[in-house]
Amino acid sequence: MTVNPFKPTAGKMPPILIGRQSIIEDFSEALANGVGAPGRIMLVTGQRGFGKTVMLTEFRRIAKAQHWEVIAETASAGLVTRLVAALAPSGIRLDQADIGPSVAIPGVVSASLGQARFSAESNPLTLRNALNKRLGSRKIGKGKGILITIDETQAASHDDLVAIATAVQHVITDADESDTPDADKKGVAIVFAGLPYMVNDLLDNEVTTFLRRALRRELDNVPLPDVRNAFVETVADSGKTISEEDALEAARRSEGYPYMVQLVGYYMWQSAQRRGSDVITPDDVAHGVSDALLAFDDAVCAPALDGTTSAERLFLTAMAKDSPNPTQVGDLAERTRRSRSWVSKYRAILIKDRLIRPCGHGQLEFAVPHLGQYLQSL
């Protein structure tokens, strides 16, 4: 049975990580370049559907191939507790954990790390100590280390982020101060992934200022020629064919948005499969785009509006009147019946949150494909 090669499920590895090679190389080289390499602390941001979870999956694959240990987490309540439990030596069972951001532990460490109590021993084991203990294990080879990936970082609690940032900073310092040759030093790498506003929240916190040294990579739209080539190659590898012209049309309709690329690819391939054909035609592309838009609205457009205020929604709805064409900023004060200063304020907020973007002198457009048309349909 021939299997559809496109994988639009969240976090599922697509057949080709198009347009992401430079970020992948940044990370891979950081692991190889030793303790202190910039890419060992990374912030990956992007709107929903830009492939953040896929990137974390690829980073873990790379780390495993280089014989690193990996821990994958998604930000939610108890994040630090789970990290400590994952790092704890085998045979130590986490019974109950009390996590607090400002617990001084006499004789062990005095920092904002939090603590976790294990049933196997009475003394608390901090995240810093857990990391250092694990790095000291013979299971981790010389020059290797531990990779921690944290998805949906915007959902993490302030206390957990303080604990993680402080612990990682201390572990890096501990390695720097050791007498071990640089080539043999074991290290920790951590990659945070989340929505664009996450960066502002992280970097505005005085305790996590060390993250300003992190390598920041924002996932953006993939160039259309790359998408066209990916469609042609992926379809050919699956035993079907698509013309360059039809592949370019499919790329245009995807707007280079990674999740939409996978959706369009999936549904146009499926359309040909239902006909029992090995050739993807213009009709298959049209059907694929139609089905993809329905799925895209539910998976991306609706969640993109979650958390927006009534004022932000008013601004976006006013912009949607022009979609898919750009909006003149000067028209928004009249449409919203608000002042120019109000328009300027929410223009700045929505650009920072990557929901809209400037596209010419005095013009704005939606940064999320199809969001304007989606708002029109509400």
Side-chain angles (χ1 to χ4, degrees):
M1 177 182 175
T2 306
V3 177
N4 193 316
F6 296 94
K7 310 297 179 186
T9 303
K12 191 73 173 177
M13 188 65 70
I16 302 174
L17 284 161
I18 50 174
R20 304 294 187 237
Q21 196 55 42
S22 65
I23 301 175
I24 292 169
E25 288 173 355
D26 285 338
F27 176 77
S28 182
E29 289 166 0
L31 295 190
N33 286 337
V35 173
R40 289 196 177 192
I41 305 173
M42 189 181 288
L43 303 178
V44 178
T45 61
Q47 285 293 353
R48 297 186 188 280
F50 266 92
K52 299 181 297 296
T53 303
V54 168
M55 287 304 305
L56 295 185
T57 301
E58 177 66 3
F59 287 167
R60 292 193 298 271
R61 186 196 66 76
I62 291 169
K64 287 177 181 176
Q66 295 191 29
H67 307 292
W68 279 54
E69 288 197 1
V70 302
I71 297 174
E73 267 296 345
T74 299
S76 61
L79 173 59
V80 170
T81 306
R82 295 194 302 275
L83 288 175
V84 173
L87 291 161
S90 59
I92 295 181
R93 183 174 61 87
L94 182 62
D95 183 44
Q96 186 174 9
D98 298 312
I99 297 299
S102 301
V103 179
I105 303 168
V108 181
V109 65
S110 182
S112 297
L113 297 180
Q115 65 173 348
R117 292 191 177 278
F118 289 84
S119 60
E121 54 189 45
S122 59
N123 64 304
L125 183 63
T126 64
L127 182 56
R128 174 187 178 182
N129 290 335
L131 281 165
N132 278 329
K133 265 192 175 181
R134 194 66 179 167
L135 287 170
S137 166
R138 283 183 292 182
K139 291 182 178 179
I140 298 179
K142 293 179 180 180
K144 307 302 179 183
I146 302 165
L147 167 67
I148 299 172
T149 64
I150 300 175
D151 206 356
E152 302 290 351
T153 305
Q154 72 278 351
S157 73
H158 169 268
D159 291 350
D160 277 350
L161 288 179
V162 169
I164 292 166
T166 309
V168 170
Q169 186 175 19
H170 279 299
V171 169
I172 292 171
T173 301
D174 292 342
D176 287 342
E177 293 176 351
S178 73
D179 295 329
T180 308
D182 285 349
D184 294 343
K185 285 179 179 176
K186 300 178 184 181
V188 60
I190 186 163
V191 183
F192 299 92
L195 298 174
Y197 68 79
M198 170 196 83
V199 173
N200 300 306
D201 291 347
L202 282 175
L203 300 187
D204 286 346
N205 186 292
E206 68 281 1
V207 185
T208 57
T209 51
F210 95 101
L211 286 174
R212 293 181 188 276
R213 302 198 307 268
L215 200 62
R216 294 168 58 176
R217 291 292 180 262
E218 182 173 354
L219 303 182
D220 207 343
N221 299 63
V222 179
L224 297 189
D226 291 346
V227 177
R228 176 201 60 202
N229 294 341
F231 277 148
V232 171
E233 292 170 13
T234 304
V235 167
D237 289 345
S238 74
K240 296 187 188 300
T241 59
I242 184 172
S243 71
E244 293 266 346
E245 182 181 354
D246 291 340
L248 182 58
E249 175 61 16
R252 287 196 191 103
R253 299 300 299 273
S254 77
E255 299 183 47
Y257 198 95
Y259 182 57
M260 190 64 173
V261 169
Q262 295 298 323
L263 285 172
V264 170
Y266 180 87
Y267 286 112
M268 71 181 185
W269 192 97
Q270 207 60 34
S271 176
Q273 183 74 356
R274 286 172 184 158
R275 294 188 298 103
S277 174
D278 288 336
V279 179
I280 295 177
T281 66
D283 282 345
D284 292 321
V285 172
H287 288 307
V289 169
S290 179
D291 289 343
L293 286 173
L294 292 175
F296 189 86
D297 284 349
D298 290 340
V300 175
C301 292
L305 295 174
D306 288 347
T308 54
T309 66
S310 58
E312 291 164 356
R313 186 71 71 93
L314 175 62
F315 189 107
L316 294 170
T317 302
M319 271 187 62
K321 294 181 183 297
D322 299 313
S323 190
N325 298 314
T327 294
Q328 294 289 337
V329 176
D331 294 339
L332 293 173
E334 181 179 348
R335 289 182 189 175
T336 59
R337 299 182 181 180
R338 298 292 191 274
S339 66
R340 289 186 178 181
S341 61
W342 183 95
V343 170
S344 295
K345 174 185 175 181
Y346 285 99
R347 172 185 178 275
I349 289 172
L350 291 166
I351 288 174
K352 184 183 77 171
D353 289 346
R354 307 298 198 275
L355 288 174
I356 64 174
R357 61 191 172 205
C359 62
H361 183 66
Q363 292 186 321
L364 295 170
E365 66 182 4
F366 287 96
V368 179
H370 202 244
L371 184 57
Q373 295 95 311
Y374 176 75
L375 282 164
Q376 289 172 0
S377 70
L378 297 179

